Amino acid sequence: MADTIMLTDHEAIRSWVAARAGFPAIVDVSPETGTQAMLRLVFGQHAYQDQDLGERPVNAGGYELVEWDEWFKLFDERQLALVVAAEQPGRREQFHEFVRRPA
C-alpha cells in the first residue's frame, strides 16, 4: 500500500470525500434502533439510497446518509481520525479507515 495520511480536520475530510463523489453515512449496528451508530463513507453506486425503506425492518444493518454535522459530531465524540492513501498523480484512491486519534 502506498503512503497514508491521517485526517482530523473537518474541511480536509469533506474535501477528500467530495473529490471521490462520496457521502457521510451512519450504520446502526445495535440490537435496538439508534443505540450504537457506526460511521461510514459511501461512494459511487452505494451512495444512492433505497427508497423502499418501509419494507425493510427498522434495524436491518443498512446505512443512512446523514448531514456532515451529525457525522462529525460522532467522529469527534469518539476521537476518531480518517486514514487515507496519500495523493498520487493520476490516481484517486478510495481507501480509507477509521482509527483512534493519537493521544
Side-chain angles (χ1 to χ4, degrees):
M1 155 108 331
D3 292 331
T4 60
I5 56 173
M6 184 179 294
L7 303 175
T8 57
D9 178 73
H10 292 190
E11 287 307 311
I13 293 170
R14 280 184 192 209
S15 294
W16 185 88
V17 174
R20 289 152 183 81
F23 295 91
I26 293 178
V27 178
D28 189 353
V29 295
S30 61
E32 297 179 27
T33 302
T35 59
Q36 188 175 0
M38 179 176 71
L39 294 179
R40 218 175 134 188
L41 297 171
V42 293
F43 301 94
Q45 192 66 26
H46 298 288
Y48 296 100
Q49 283 191 301
D50 182 1
Q51 298 302 313
D52 298 329
L53 296 177
E55 298 174 13
R56 184 182 326 177
V58 175
N59 187 15
Y63 59 85
E64 175 186 357
L65 297 180
V66 296
E67 296 295 324
W68 279 113
D69 290 342
E70 181 179 354
W71 194 90
F72 281 125
K73 182 176 184 255
L74 288 171
F75 182 80
D76 290 336
E77 283 174 358
R78 296 176 182 176
Q79 293 292 301
L80 297 176
L82 181 67
V83 174
V84 299
E87 298 289 330
Q88 296 178 5
R91 296 190 66 157
R92 185 79 54 177
E93 295 286 336
Q94 288 183 0
F95 165 79
H96 66 281
E97 66 180 338
F98 297 101
V99 298
R100 192 111 10 234
R101 291 180 194 174

